[in-house]
Amino acid sequence: MPSTPGSTDPPQLQDSTKVPSGIAGVLRSLGRLNRGPPNPVPATSAAPPSNGNRPNLHGEHFNEEAATSGQVLVNKLKANNSLNDRISAAEALRTIVADYPVSTVTEIWTNAQDLTNEENPPEARQAAFKLLTACVKQYEPSSLDRIKLYRTVALHSRPEDFFHQLQVLIALTNGGRDLSTFQREIGGLLSRWLRTWFKESTIIRQTRKRERTTSEVLSSEEFCLKELFQFTTDIIKFNFKSFEEREVNQLLTDVLSICKKTTSKKDIECSIAFIETLITYGYVPRPALKPCIEVLCGAYATLRDLTDATWNAVSNLCKSYMAHNSILVLREILEAPATNPPGSSNTNTLRGAVWFLEKLLIANETDGLPSVQFTVVMSAFQSALSADSMRLELEISRAIAAILSSKDVVSQIAFDEWPVPLNILVHCSRRATRLMHGPTREGPESDNTPYPYENDGVGQAISQALIQVISLLEVACLNTEFEQTEEVMGFFIRVHPHLPNSGAELVINYYSTEHLCYPSCAEWLDNCRQLLNVFFRTRTRPPSIRISVLHLIKDVYETIRDVCEDEVLHTLAVSVFEDFQYEKDLKVLDALIKIVVDVSSDTSIELFKTLLSLLIEYIGLDGGLPDPPPQGQGSGASARSSISSTTKARSPQQGPQTNIVVRGLVRIFLKNMDTNAVKSVLVYEQLVRISGSADLDPNTRLTAMRLLFRLRADSEHAIFITENPESDHLASVLHRVAKVADEAASIASKGDAESSSSSRSNKSSSVSQTFLFRNPSRSVVEKYDRPKRKPQIWSYPETKALPEKPMHLASPVLVTFYDPPSDFPRREGPSLDPHLCIRMSLWMEKVIPIIQQGCDWEIYSYVLVHLSSQLSNKTAFRNCKAHINMLRSYVCDQLHTNRIPNTDDLPPEVKKADIAVVLINLLTTLISYKQHFAKNETEGIVKAFQLGLHSWQRTAKPCIHALSICCYELPGSTSKFLPGILTKLSQIITSSAVSVHILEFLSALAKLPKLYSNFTEPDFRNIFGIAFRYIQHTKETTAQQLIKATFTNRPGQGQANPTDLNAQTEQPDLPQYVLTLAYNVLTTWFLSLRLSERPKYVSWITRGLVLHDQSNTADEQSQTCIDMLQRFTFSDIDLKPPNKIDTQASGIVTKNWLHCSSILSIQTAPDSGISRVVVRRASGTSYYTLKPDSRDLRSMLQSKWANIPEDLGGLADTAAGVEQRQDRVLPSHFLLQIAGGLGPSETRPILLPEDEKTLRALDVFDRIPVVDFHKIGVVYVGAGQTEEKDILSNAMGSPDYTDFIDGLGDLIALKGTDINTGGLDREKNADGEFAFFWSDRITQIIFHITTMMPMADGDPQCTMKKRHIGNDFVNIIFNNSGLPWRFGTIPSQFNFVSIIITPEARSGFVSSRLLRKGSEDRTFYRVQMVCKEGFSEISPAQEPKIVSDASLPAFVRNLALNASVYSHVYNEGGGEHISNWRHRLRSIAKLRERTPIVYPGSSGNGGPIGGNGGGMSPGQNSIAPGSRRVSAMSAQTLASDHSYRNSAQVNGDADQSETEDLLMSLDFSRFT
């Protein structure tokens, strides 16, 4: 049964099944330590301790009564009693034996000793041993008795009784203190017992292992072994000197054998306790020293909680006289793997030895420990590495880390001793990481894979130990007195996978400061490669460290580029980009690209091509670079081929990586375009390929396009880059302007009012496969669902379109390609090398397929927006005749057939009409390439514009503007289509959006008589009908607004909606401008008729002027227009006013009459009757000379008036007597001859009073100009000028500027001229001697040209010039500065419009003056009107237009004239524009009002136009009661010759008669 605490009963032994015992590893035993048999005992239970202090029994008094009962029990022990009685007696005596004398005790044992015989039952044997134990404790046996008792115990072999045997022996030896009489025998006994009970314990443990049972308590066998170990330890502790070395060696050997074989932690603890006791109280025999130390080492490595015990044992051993031998043994243990076969060394032993040597080295002779040399320890560590064990290497790494943490040890390490520990750590580091066979050589997938650790985190632990060492060394290297920095840096390089980022930075800085990467170091090139391989290509490093390596290499390159050979530079540069194709980190990639950009300008062409090919391969474009120009092979060709061979074809990179590379290419181009044409051309060609590759990301392609679309050429064909592509309008059309795009997207999200096409074309996936002259077949049309909208990746304006700000100046080395044999026009001279020139044809080959087929909307829209502006620079495309023609063909075809390319991702807010508007703008730009086109091709252009007038509502306006350009640039083709164009215009006049533009087109066309030389009557009627329709519409709209405003403002009526009022009053100046233009069109086109053709239109025009109004009267504008008809229907002669006559001095009699709407003045010489008749009308003043047919009057008339023609006679001799003659003819005579006779008094002329008021009124009337007058400023801006002072200081301009102003008008002398000069001085030439003046029958323009005005002394700010320019509503800016013109550069309150003329190819001061043009050369200019904020779009140049030098003056003059007319309307705040003719008409009416008229029987009702009665002001229109307006004719009716009578709606005969009477009274053509 199990024993309990305080009991002398041993644990019950069990007869276990015997199984073969094997050698169990300590490591495997730890998890199965507590498994036990079915009858275990607690590990804490033990037999009562032996009594070390025996009582003195001699002379002790005994109780007789107890002695009597005890004697009875002693008697029962005798052999003649029964076995049970004897056992009972033994049990009873065991507790009372202390009360017996010695003699009785001897008798007790004598009677009971036969119970120990093995034949007896276990109860009997165990009772006997217990009794014996009690007896031994109570008396001191004699020597003979001791040997007998010892042998009784030693010879007993029943294992069930072992515990009791052991208790007897413990008592006999007094707890191991007394071995007298049997000290020579006990050593062997203990050895035998240890082996026996270890074997028994092993069997029990194996049984538990098989049964997979565990127990927290010890089995009886294990308990016995534990007690035996304790007893043996006590024996050695108290009696070491009693043993021979042989016996101790044997006992130690058995203990060590158990320690090596056991699987129990308790056994190891007991063994270590024995060894420690042996070392403390004795010594370890020399033969057993190594096994002992090996066991201690293994125990340390196995059980970490025994480290203190094992270290105490070893430290005590090293403090003994065996210290030297112990260190040698530890060294031998570690050096054994280097000589022994692989795998023969115990790893745990090696690990323990490492730890003990570490402790000894760090102790450094303290606490009595021996001295250990650093080199000895490191040498042993290095030898131990041969064991090839990761755990051992972990211990070594930790040991070195701990050693280097000791300042005392480190301070004693010699300079030449550092390599060994560092090499050891390098060896250990390789175990923790996978071996690298060249960084990232296996592919991009291995870049970011963390290094795998092996064996359950051991590798990670090694790495941590290395990091600890590295941290210590980092601190040491910061100390300037540390001399091993170079060695440490080499170590850092070799353990770089474990090197923290701080260490990496330290290494890089060390290499930089020590110039190890510069040629001053013999191995500089290898060092550069090493840094690249170790730190740069380790992609787990942060970008900052990798980039710092690149900066160092770049600095090296810049240092050596002027001193080293190209081959060395090539090798260095190529080494940086060895595995460039696998780089994905954006920051590092950007740094790499910056290096390429920085070295690109200075590197050799071969290296440049190598780097360029790497960039192209990274992007993923197929094909290599073009063949180089014929040059010698560079020295770096072999290096380049080596890289090319390792680079595999890959799919193109996507995302921001390729965009970074392409931005780098753009920067390379910008950096080299001013210095190296070959490099720039190579990059340009690759950018062109990128822009046309449909496989690339749209953002990447756009990056290339941003540069390509900004390429321009100046007048000398040199390439430069413009920052502003000036495509604002087209960007807004396609909703690409930032604000417009946001608003359009929000509107589109609410619903698309206009459904898009339900089919899309299935386009080819690659636009680049479409060649320029290939006609691709039509794609199959399939139904589709609108895809999810992609985010917009570009908007206009682009804040940072290019990575760097380009230079403003043109490149001195880079020009556009020029091939005289193929250029147009053909020139003389050698062809240029295409490898040195920008071939814009390559760029066009990529753009044309996009225009033809469409593509991704982001790309397609970018091309649409920017292509037109670039094509405006004709000089850049001088060698692209075929490409321009092909582009024209595709655009015309799309506009002719309304087949706009489909794009699957077209935003809902963008319609095909918007795309058509952009295509029309593009085709308008292509007009400037007219020299490349045949006549039928130019007719196709005009036809496209004609069709666009009605194809889409949005295209009408740009088509009208384009046709305006065609009138100047393509007159022949335009003339052919004019009738059809006019018909289309008459069909779209209902659209208010194009009213201004139609009238401006007709106004400009009227000034180009060659275009309409073949017009027929229907064509003219079409034009007049359009004008009538706009007159009617404008007046109807104005009347409705007045009626509505009157109704709204009546008392009691609600307030008007502010929104409605804003809508009504929006741009009030525009209707008035339309009305003014419409009347100008009528006047201009009537005057353009041949004189013989004019009468046939008088009746038709008169009807149109009268019937457009609400009443049957004519308003002021209609009256002035009819007056114009009366003046010019039968005459084209503009009579110059004669000299004014002083009637008082000469005796001339003057009379003035009001007759209808004119003032009739007759000046008569009374004596001769010769008279001058002056007819003052609204549209002008006519002068006539009348004379009676009398010859004797000629001389008298000639003497009176100097302006009488000379053919009147030569009677000068009679002139002196004329004054004395009697008056013969007075002015009234002629009036009666013309207007006398019988008739109604209402039709007779009204005689004006001969007073001062009348004369003053006539004088004022004569001062009102007959024609409309405009003053236009002209400003020349020289090269690079941006400031007002510099601009106004120009005294001359370029030759083309001179040609331009020469075409604006006629040169006139200012001094003494009677022409209205708009404020220019006409007396002292203060504003110059000459000016340019232009006029027709109804308009005069004076041009204030700053370069023709002198610079006044003391006027540096040019205020004398600005007082004219600043007061002109319209200024023409001839911008030759090469910079964009900023509106307001010359600030003024009255400058409303600037017409900016810019050469399509900018030129400098010298080049503009040295420019030579052939007979076929045409210079083109970009013309754009820029207006003050609030102006309406009124001009075809609201968006830039390209015009040739031949057409420029006339085109700009017409723009300026219309802009000036609108400016006058605008300046009046949108009020009614009063022309000079209307002012004259009003003056006549006011004179009539002031003149009293008395006619007998007059009714007082005046006629519609001046005839009957006075007092009717111009604004008073007599409206017959019940009259109804005559409805306006439709455009088709206006174009026909139908009578207005058929289209009028008349209620009653009275209305019809009144209308007809009015028309008959106005239609003077019937009686003339």
Side-chain angles (χ1 to χ4, degrees), residues 143-205:
S143 297
L144 182 60
D145 291 338
R146 287 175 63 84
I147 193 64
K148 287 181 179 180
L149 292 175
Y150 167 77
R151 289 179 178 173
T152 299
V153 174
L155 297 176
H156 190 80
S157 60
R158 296 304 293 261
E160 300 92 332
D161 306 331
F162 176 77
F163 179 76
H164 302 287
Q165 289 176 262
L166 184 59
Q167 295 304 313
V168 173
L169 194 56
I170 291 172
L172 184 62
T173 60
N174 192 15
R177 291 175 174 82
D178 186 7
L179 301 181
S180 58
T181 70
F182 50 83
Q183 65 270 18
R184 299 298 180 186
E185 300 177 8
I186 194 170
L189 176 64
L190 293 175
S191 294
R192 178 167 56 82
W193 278 0
L194 286 171
R195 290 192 298 269
T196 300
W197 285 104
F198 174 71
K199 182 177 181 182
E200 294 296 330
S201 298
T202 302
I203 293 172
I204 293 299
R205 292 164 183 164

Side-chain angles (χ1 to χ4, degrees), residues 32 377 497 831 870 1184 1472 1519:
R32 302 179 292 274
V377 175
S831 299
Q870 188 177 33
Y1184 306 95
E1472 189 177 11
I1519 303 176

Side-chain angles (χ1 to χ4, degrees), residues 1152-1173:
N1152 302 294
W1153 292 269
L1154 282 174
H1155 183 61
C1156 296
S1157 58
S1158 62
I1159 301 174
L1160 182 63
S1161 299
I1162 302 178
Q1163 298 172 325
T1164 305
D1167 54 350
S1168 63
I1170 299 177
S1171 303
R1172 182 168 68 182
V1173 181

Side-chain angles (χ1 to χ4, degrees), residues 668 1106 1234 1264 1560:
I668 293 173
V1106 173
I1234 297 173
I1264 300 176
M1560 291 179 66

Side-chain angles (χ1 to χ4, degrees), residues 262-296:
T262 186
T263 59
S264 171
K265 178 181 177 182
K266 272 297 182 187
D267 294 349
I268 299 175
E269 290 177 352
C270 294
S271 299
I272 292 176
F274 174 81
I275 295 172
E276 186 176 0
T277 301
L278 179 62
I279 296 171
T280 304
Y281 297 95
Y283 66 91
V284 177
R286 184 63 183 88
L289 179 60
K290 183 176 181 180
C292 180
I293 292 177
E294 288 178 346
V295 167
L296 292 174

Side-chain angles (χ1 to χ4, degrees), residues 1130-1368:
F1130 301 101
S1131 172
D1132 264 339
I1133 299 176
D1134 289 332
L1135 297 180
K1136 184 178 179 181
N1139 295 333
K1140 193 172 182 179
I1141 302 174
D1142 186 357
T1143 55
Q1144 295 180 355
S1146 59
I1148 301 299
V1149 179
T1150 303
K1151 294 288 184 177
N1152 302 294
W1153 292 269
L1154 282 174
H1155 183 61
C1156 296
S1157 58
S1158 62
I1159 301 174
L1160 182 63
S1161 299
I1162 302 178
Q1163 298 172 325
T1164 305
D1167 54 350
S1168 63
I1170 299 177
S1171 303
R1172 182 168 68 182
V1173 181
V1174 181
V1175 182
R1176 296 178 175 89
R1177 308 178 64 92
S1179 60
T1181 302
S1182 301
Y1183 301 88
Y1184 306 95
T1185 300
L1186 300 177
K1187 63 175 181 176
D1189 191 10
S1190 173
R1191 296 182 58 86
D1192 59 348
L1193 295 179
R1194 296 179 184 176
S1195 60
M1196 292 184 289
L1197 184 64
Q1198 194 172 19
S1199 66
K1200 294 286 184 181
W1201 290 336
N1203 61 335
I1204 297 298
E1206 295 180 358
D1207 58 1
L1208 294 180
L1211 307 177
D1213 55 328
T1214 61
V1218 171
E1219 295 182 0
Q1220 287 78 21
R1221 296 186 183 183
Q1222 188 177 1
D1223 293 342
R1224 300 174 60 183
V1225 181
L1226 296 177
S1228 300
H1229 169 75
F1230 291 101
L1231 177 66
L1232 291 175
Q1233 304 308 313
I1234 297 173
L1238 299 178
S1241 61
E1242 294 84 353
T1243 61
R1244 295 177 181 176
I1246 302 171
L1247 179 63
L1248 296 177
E1250 298 182 11
D1251 54 13
E1252 287 296 325
K1253 293 180 65 175
T1254 301
L1255 295 177
R1256 190 165 50 250
L1258 293 177
D1259 186 60
V1260 170
F1261 183 88
D1262 290 337
R1263 292 177 185 274
I1264 300 176
V1266 177
V1267 296
D1268 289 332
F1269 177 77
H1270 300 273
K1271 51 180 183 173
I1272 310 295
V1274 181
V1275 179
Y1276 176 78
V1277 185
Q1281 292 180 342
T1282 58
E1283 299 297 329
E1284 173 188 337
K1285 176 183 176 182
D1286 299 332
I1287 295 171
L1288 295 180
S1289 298
N1290 289 323
M1292 61 178 297
S1294 58
D1296 55 345
Y1297 164 76
T1298 303
D1299 294 341
F1300 165 70
I1301 59 175
D1302 192 48
L1304 288 177
D1306 299 324
L1307 187 67
I1308 62 170
L1310 292 176
K1311 190 172 184 179
T1313 183
D1314 58 353
I1315 296 175
N1316 188 349
T1317 61
L1320 296 178
D1321 180 64
R1322 292 182 289 184
E1323 296 180 358
K1324 300 179 181 180
N1325 291 334
D1327 296 315
E1329 295 183 24
F1330 302 96
F1332 279 94
F1333 173 81
W1334 178 89
S1335 66
D1336 61 8
R1337 293 189 182 94
I1338 60 174
T1339 307
Q1340 289 182 352
I1341 302 176
I1342 189 70
F1343 293 97
H1344 293 168
I1345 302 174
T1346 58
T1347 55
M1348 300 180 70
M1349 300 179 187
M1351 285 289 296
D1353 296 335
D1355 185 21
Q1357 301 299 325
C1358 303
T1359 55
M1360 297 299 292
K1361 293 185 179 183
K1362 189 176 178 180
R1363 68 189 178 100
H1364 297 292
I1365 297 299
N1367 289 307
D1368 294 336

